[in-house]
């Protein structure tokens, strides 16, 4: 399972990076959100998959899955959500004020 | 703290007061207040003469940075005393001269004296410091104050050019010198020059010895305007003439000579030192004297003359270092004569060059020009100036009965002596020294004659001048008069300085040469008898006179020999090449396109991680213990992969958003499968909100241009993306395959209920075990929401296009 998960993570990263390298601001944001998914799955996979029950003590299981990465991912999900929404609004304002979402046109002046 | 420290600090303090003095006093020239400073210092150092002469140096120390072995240690021996007397003595005369030279109503004299006193204090600091780091600090302070003084008339373009050039070159050398000092520290473990000299035998065989020597010499050569670093000195002539006289003839340019003399006991045993110092000196001597003949500006001529004389002294110090090769034997005293000649000429040069600069300043002041093509016939209107110029120039040319004659004789002696050396391959190259010395002396003779006779004799062409020339005021004449008389006095009674100044200085430069109980014999005789040197001098005078005569008519020596190879052009070209080159290189990679920067970052990531994985042996790929995959999971993985891969191919923006959302929901499903209920819950909500937000932002955006939505294919992007994906896959696999220690999660599982009273372990970790993370994560969300609010509401430039403005 870990092997296939690793491959899926690779796919997520590949597409995420490919989108981040594109010209459109919109696709860059989509790329970052795919990269975020990749990172979360990577965190989860690295702690070994399916080694026990869900980390709820009421279940009286012999073994539980590692709860620490889950806590880390939860924190990360919230932070990346905050950052992504900020990016959305920033891109939206950039559109409104500059009239383009092409990164090549958003270059600074040479004198700067 | 001793009086010797006060000698250094006193000028620095007076530099602080100087600008206020100018503002507070209405009628009195600020220079008068500054005059006592060098006078008192001179008197103090003179008072120590007896003490130092008896071989009893003064040493005092103030701790500064004790943990680094840096203390402000001052040390007064023969060599330091000689320099301190030169600095304060000529400093006194220069201050007096500048009072009459600078008009207090037209010039910022307060600033001028502030810089000048700063320089004087720094220069005294250089020659009196025993600690190398302190010495370096004062060394750079002389560079800075010299920079300020050259650019004193900062509205002139040429002043600024000259100041910058001298700054760049001397600071370059200064930094190299610092490197040398640090290497010396590495070898000996002390910054004290005294202790290093006492420990020389430990470092001569050290591998860092030669680099340290080269770096220190680089500092000395740049400061003392040796070939090819001499180019800053002629451009420094844009400074006011008192500055040129003081800094660029008598003191600062001798700092390099001081350094060479001071560190001679450390390095002189090495053949490299002998060859470098002598050869660079003799090369500078001939080159400087050749170039001096071609100048038409009096100050430029004096500048090249200074370069050439500095080369002479440098080569004498180099030749004198041969004494260390024969250390301990009577033969070494033979070569000490060269060092003695160097010191004597250094005194002489300070005397006559100071006088000549002041004379040129007077001529400039009284006629309005320094161009010898426009000058002439000033002899009858400026008799006193002419007399001083005559004495100075004859002394410079090495004619009897002036002091330059004696030092030139001694120079010839040293150059001839060196041929008889049987070590250091002198038998082959030794003949070069007297020959070059002789030719350079002829050149020196010619430009000295040009200096005097083109300026003061010949037809009177005063109608072309801006001012009607007349004799200078007495205050302006007094300092060069003193220096001119000294040139005669030292010429006739050389032993005045020989026993008092030169002997202690020799003892400082050659501590190891003397056998116990021996004394240096520094007596200088005016007349040696009919020796080779006398015939060489007669030859110089004859050949020089003939060439001078011819030179005036046919410009014999003005051939464009060196015009093709201009070091200034190399310097200017180098500077603009560096400017342009760095701009080109920066433009090359700083394109302003975010895509390029991301490519650099990703490339770096790929390469560094791949190389590390290839190099480190601990990484292995072990698929044992991996969990099996069920059908559901296969379906979810397939769905995730397909939806992700489809994103770049999406035709519309809407489609891309929905595909990304799908990927997010597939991740939610993974969280369900892998037993993470809290994650699944959060991920689902967040994904939903994100997609909604996305659609809000971009679907309903007005006036959005209908662009071609498909992503253009780019191979480099794909390659980099694939590289990153593969690297991350490998990282994931490697991390799974090797686990070096057990997880700490057992603790959380065991103690979650006992310690925190919660059964949901993830939640307990979030709010109890690691609650701090959660608090800051809440802060992040808070900042993001405030940021978003500010972005939407704040519209500072009053742009009317804003759709959300209320």
């Amino acid at each position: 399972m870990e092997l296939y998960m690793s491959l899926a993570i690779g796919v997520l990263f590949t597409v995420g990076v490919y989108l981040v390298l594109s010209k459109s601001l919109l696709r860059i944001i989509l790329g970052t959100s795919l990269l975020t998914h990749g990172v979360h799955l990577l965190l989860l996979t690295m702690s070994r998959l399916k080694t026990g029950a869900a980390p709820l003590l009421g279940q009286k299981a012999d073994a539980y899955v590692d709860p620490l990465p889950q806590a880390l991912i939860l924190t990360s999900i919230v932070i990346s959500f905050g950052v992504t929404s900020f990016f959305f609004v920033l891109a939206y304002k950039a559109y409104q004020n500059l009239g383009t979402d092409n990164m090549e046109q958003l270059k600074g002046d040479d004198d700067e | 703290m001793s009086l010797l420290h006060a000698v250094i600090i006193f000028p620095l303090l007076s530099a602080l007061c100087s600008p206020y003095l100018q503002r507070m006093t209405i009628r009195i020239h600020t220079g008068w207040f500054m005059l006592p400073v060098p006078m008192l210092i001179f008197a103090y150092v003179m008072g120590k003469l007896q003490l130092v002469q008896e071989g009893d140096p003064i040493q005092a120390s103030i701790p500064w940075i004790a943990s680094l072995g840096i203390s402000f240690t001052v040390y007064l021996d023969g060599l330091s005393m000689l320099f301190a007397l030169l600095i304060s003595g000529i400093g006194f005369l220069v201050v007096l001269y500048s009072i009459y030279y600078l008009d207090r109503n037209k010039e910022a004299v307060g600033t001028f004296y502030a810089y000048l006193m700063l320089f004087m204090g720094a220069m005294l600091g250089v020659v009196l410091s025993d600690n190398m780091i302190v010495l370096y600090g004062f060394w750079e302070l002389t560079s800075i104050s010299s920079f300020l003084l050259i650019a004193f008339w900062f509205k002139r373009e040429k002043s600024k050019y000259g100041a910058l050039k001298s700054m760049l070159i001397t600071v370059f050398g200064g930094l190299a010198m610092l490197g040398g000092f640090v290497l010396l520290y590495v070898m000996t473990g002390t910054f004290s020059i005294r202790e290093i000299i006492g420990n020389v035998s430990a470092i001569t065989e050290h591998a860092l010895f030669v680099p340290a020597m080269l770096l220190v010499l680089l500092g000395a050569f740049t400061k003392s305007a040796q070939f090819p670093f001499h180019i800053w000195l002629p451009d420094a002539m844009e400074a006011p003439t008192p500055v040129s006289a003081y800094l660029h003839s008598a003191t600062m340019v001798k700092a390099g000579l001081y350094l060479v003399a001071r560190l001679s006991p450390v390095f002189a045993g090495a053949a490299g030192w002998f060859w470098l110092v002598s050869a660079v000196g003799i090369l500078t001597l001939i080159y400087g004297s050749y170039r001096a003949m071609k100048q038409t500006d009096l100050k430029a001529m004096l500048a090249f003359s200074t370069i050439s004389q500095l080369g002479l002294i440098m080569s004498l110090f180099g030749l004198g270092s041969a004494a260390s090769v024969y250390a301990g034997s009577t033969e070494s005293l033979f070569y000490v004569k060269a060092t003695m000649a160097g010191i004597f000429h250094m005194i002489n040069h300070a005397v006559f060059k100071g006088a000549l600069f002041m004379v040129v300043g007077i001529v400039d002041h009284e006629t309005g020009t320094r161009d010898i093509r426009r000058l002439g016939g000033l002899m009858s209107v400026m008799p006193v100036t002419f007399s001083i110029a005559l004495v100075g120039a004859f002394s410079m040319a090495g004619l009897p009965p002036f002091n330059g004659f004696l030092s030139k004789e001694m120079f010839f002696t040293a150059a001839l002596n060196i041929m008889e050396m049987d070590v250091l391959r002198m038998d082959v190259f030794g003949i070069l020294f007297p020959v070059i010395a002789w030719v350079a002396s002829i050149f020196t003779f010619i430009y000295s004659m040009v200096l005097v006779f083109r300026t003061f004799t010949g037809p009177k062409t005063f109608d072309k001048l801006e001012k009607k020339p007349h004799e200078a005021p007495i205050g302006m004449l007094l300092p060069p008069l003193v220096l001119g008389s000294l040139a005669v006095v030292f010429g006739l009674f050389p032993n005045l300085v020989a026993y008092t100044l030169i002997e202690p200085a020799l003892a400082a430069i050659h501590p190891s040469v003397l056998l116990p109980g021996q004394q240096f014999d520094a007596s200088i005789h005016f007349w040696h008898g009919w020796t080779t040197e006398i015939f060489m001098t007669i030859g110089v005078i004859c050949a020089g006179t003939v060439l001078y005569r011819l030179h005036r008519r046919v410009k014999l020596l003005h051939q464009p020999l060196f015009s093709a190879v201009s070091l200034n052009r190399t310097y200017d070209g180098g500077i603009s090449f560096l400017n342009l080159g760095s701009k080109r290189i920066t433009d090359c990679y700083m394109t302003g396109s975010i895509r390029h920067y991301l490519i650099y970052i990703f490339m770096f990531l790929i390469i560094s991680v791949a190389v590390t994985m290839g190099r480190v042996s601990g990484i292995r790929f072990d698929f044992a213990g991996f969990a099996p995959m069920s059908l559901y999971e296969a379906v979810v993985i397939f769905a995730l992969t397909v939806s992700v891969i489809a994103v770049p191919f999406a035709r519309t923006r809407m489609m891309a958003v929905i595909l990304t959302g799908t990927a997010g929901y597939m991740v939610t499903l993974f969280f369900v499968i892998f037993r993470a209920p809290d994650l699944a819950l959060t991920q689902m909500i967040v994904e939903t909100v994100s997609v909604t937000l996305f659609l809000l932002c971009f679907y309903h955006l007005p006036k959005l241009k209908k662009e071609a939505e498909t992503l253009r294919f780019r191979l480099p992007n794909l390659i980099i993306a694939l590289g990153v994906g593969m690297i991350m896959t490998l990282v994931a696999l490697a991390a799974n395959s090797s686990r070096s220690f057990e997880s700490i999660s057992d603790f959380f599982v065991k103690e979650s209920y006992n310690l925190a009273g919660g059964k949901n372990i993830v939640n307990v970790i979030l709010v109890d075990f690691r609650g701090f993370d959660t608090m800051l994560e809440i802060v992040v969300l808070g900042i993001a929401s405030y940021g978003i609010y500010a972005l939407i509401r704040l519209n500072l430039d009053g742009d009317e296009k804003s759709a959300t403005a209320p």
Side-chain angles (χ1 to χ4, degrees), chain B residues 508-520:
Chain B
I509 300 175
H510 294 297
S512 62
V513 165
L514 276 189
L515 297 172
Q518 237 176 346
Q519 273 277 332
F520 282 113

Side-chain angles (χ1 to χ4, degrees), chain A residues 67, chain B residues 743-753 755 761 769:
Chain B
S743 163
I744 58 162
S745 298
D746 294 340
F747 169 80
F748 295 129
V749 174
K750 229 181 275 170
E751 304 294 342
S752 168
Y753 190 73
L755 291 179
I761 307 173
F769 290 125

Side-chain angles (χ1 to χ4, degrees), chain B residues 79 82-83 86 90 217 220-221 223-227 233 247-262 264 273-286 288-289 302-322 335-354 395-396 403-404 406-408 410-412 414-415 418 433 436-437 440-441 444 447 502 505-506 509-510:
Chain B
L79 187 64
L82 171 67
F83 274 91
L86 279 181
I90 295 181
L217 275 184
F221 288 165
K223 198 73 159 184
S224 278
Q226 298 296 300
F227 189 87
L233 189 60
L247 274 69
H248 305 126
S249 75
T251 52
M252 189 179 90
V253 287
K254 296 204 164 77
L257 296 174
Y258 170 78
L259 192 73
V260 166
R262 176 53 85 204
S264 257
W273 176 269
F274 171 86
W275 275 113
L276 264 176
V277 178
S278 318
V280 168
I282 204 102
L283 186 63
T284 312
L285 165 66
I286 184 90
S289 57
L302 285 179
F304 275 108
S305 147
T306 302
I307 292 168
S308 123
Q309 306 277 322
L310 290 169
L312 190 156
I313 302 168
M314 191 66 90
S315 71
L316 279 170
F317 282 169
L319 297 180
S321 76
Y335 298 103
V336 170
K337 297 258 185 213
T339 315
M340 193 173 89
I343 298 169
F344 188 49
H345 193 69
M346 197 161 63
I347 301 171
N348 293 342
H349 177 251
V351 168
F352 67 66
K353 194 51 67 70
S395 176
M396 183 157 76
N403 54 4
L406 294 173
S407 44
K408 184 134 296 179
M410 290 158 75
F411 173 47
F412 284 155
I418 217 71
F433 281 93
I436 295 177
S441 296
T444 308
Y447 71 69
I502 298 179
L506 274 182
I509 300 175
H510 294 297

Side-chain angles (χ1 to χ4, degrees), chain B residues 637-780:
Chain B
I637 282 200
F638 181 72
L640 174 76
T641 316
V642 168
S643 62
V644 167
I645 291 178
V647 176
F649 296 100
R651 288 199 167 271
T652 62
R653 178 172 295 148
M654 197 59 190
M655 195 66 202
V657 172
I658 288 172
L659 283 171
T660 314
T662 313
Y665 289 120
M666 290 303 137
V667 172
T668 312
L669 278 183
F670 273 125
F671 290 152
V672 173
I673 292 171
F674 297 138
R675 286 122 173 119
D678 301 291
L679 289 187
L681 199 64
T682 318
Q683 180 68 39
M684 195 163 72
I685 296 167
V686 161
E687 203 56 43
T688 312
V689 175
S690 297
V691 170
T692 318
L693 196 64
F694 207 97
L695 293 179
L696 264 179
C697 276
F698 292 100
Y699 191 70
H700 296 293
L701 195 70
K703 290 189 240 162
L704 190 66
K705 274 183 283 174
K706 292 288 171 202
E707 296 159 14
E709 293 288 339
T710 39
L711 197 55
R712 231 184 302 151
F713 176 73
R714 276 184 141 157
L715 189 62
N717 289 7
L718 182 67
I719 291 170
I720 288 171
L722 277 175
V724 174
M726 267 153 63
I727 283 288
M728 292 320 287
T729 305
L730 288 177
V731 167
L733 286 176
N736 273 317
S737 306
S738 49
R739 171 158 294 190
S740 29
F741 43 79
E742 279 305 302
S743 163
I744 58 162
S745 298
D746 294 340
F747 169 80
F748 295 129
V749 174
K750 229 181 275 170
E751 304 294 342
S752 168
Y753 190 73
N754 295 342
L755 291 179
K759 289 182 177 172
N760 185 336
I761 307 173
V762 173
N763 286 3
V764 167
I765 293 176
L766 281 175
V767 299
D768 195 307
F769 290 125
R770 299 181 58 89
F772 203 61
D773 289 357
T774 311
M775 188 185 80
L776 293 177
E777 159 199 340
I778 293 168
V779 171
V780 168

Side-chain angles (χ1 to χ4, degrees), chain B residues 430-721:
Chain B
I431 187 71
L432 280 176
F433 281 93
V435 170
I436 295 177
W438 192 71
V439 174
S441 296
I442 296 175
F443 290 164
T444 308
F445 181 85
I446 295 172
Y447 71 69
S448 302
M449 295 307 115
V450 170
L451 185 72
V452 183
F453 293 116
R454 289 289 295 272
T455 313
F456 290 98
T457 62
K460 296 181 185 178
T461 50
F462 297 158
D463 47 327
K464 279 190 263 172
L465 298 175
E466 288 158 28
K467 302 175 184 173
K468 183 154 174 53
H470 54 82
E471 190 58 275
I474 180 73
M476 218 159 161
L477 283 175
L478 199 61
L481 208 55
V482 171
L483 288 173
S485 342
L486 280 179
V488 181
V489 170
F490 290 164
L492 294 176
F493 308 103
N495 290 334
L496 269 182
V497 289
Y499 295 122
T500 50
L501 291 176
I502 298 179
E503 262 187 26
L506 274 182
I509 300 175
H510 294 297
S512 62
V513 165
L514 276 189
L515 297 172
Q518 237 176 346
Q519 273 277 332
F520 282 113
D521 175 28
S523 66
I524 300 167
H525 304 290
F526 190 80
W527 182 248
H528 303 270
W530 291 105
T531 53
T532 326
E533 294 88 331
I534 288 290
F535 291 114
M536 281 172 84
T537 302
I538 293 171
V540 165
I541 295 171
C542 296
T545 315
V546 171
L547 281 174
Y548 173 64
R549 288 278 165 202
L550 288 174
H551 183 61
R552 291 195 73 165
R553 297 209 192 95
V554 294
K555 307 287 178 209
L556 191 65
L557 296 162
H558 276 200
Q559 306 301 328
L561 197 60
F562 281 112
S563 307
V565 197
S566 167
L567 286 165
N568 275 322
R569 215 175 300 149
T570 315
Y571 166 83
D572 292 335
I575 294 287
S576 59
F577 172 79
L578 282 178
N579 272 333
L580 273 179
S582 56
K583 182 169 163 33
R584 286 227 183 97
I585 291 173
T586 312
D587 284 350
C588 196
Y589 70 92
M590 298 296 285
T591 52
S593 156
I594 196 160
R595 180 172 159 261
H596 290 158
Y597 304 153
L598 285 169
I599 287 176
Y600 306 148
I601 295 171
F602 286 131
M603 290 282 274
F604 180 76
L605 175 91
I606 294 168
I607 292 168
S608 59
V609 176
V611 168
T612 311
M613 288 180 109
R615 287 276 182 91
V616 176
S617 55
I619 292 175
R620 57 202 164 77
F621 297 100
D622 173 18
F623 296 165
F626 279 7
M629 185 164 69
S630 68
L631 184 64
Y632 302 118
E633 292 154 5
V635 170
V636 177
I637 282 200
F638 181 72
L640 174 76
T641 316
V642 168
S643 62
V644 167
I645 291 178
V647 176
F649 296 100
R651 288 199 167 271
T652 62
R653 178 172 295 148
M654 197 59 190
M655 195 66 202
V657 172
I658 288 172
L659 283 171
T660 314
T662 313
Y665 289 120
M666 290 303 137
V667 172
T668 312
L669 278 183
F670 273 125
F671 290 152
V672 173
I673 292 171
F674 297 138
R675 286 122 173 119
D678 301 291
L679 289 187
L681 199 64
T682 318
Q683 180 68 39
M684 195 163 72
I685 296 167
V686 161
E687 203 56 43
T688 312
V689 175
S690 297
V691 170
T692 318
L693 196 64
F694 207 97
L695 293 179
L696 264 179
C697 276
F698 292 100
Y699 191 70
H700 296 293
L701 195 70
K703 290 189 240 162
L704 190 66
K705 274 183 283 174
K706 292 288 171 202
E707 296 159 14
E709 293 288 339
T710 39
L711 197 55
R712 231 184 302 151
F713 176 73
R714 276 184 141 157
L715 189 62
N717 289 7
L718 182 67
I719 291 170
I720 288 171

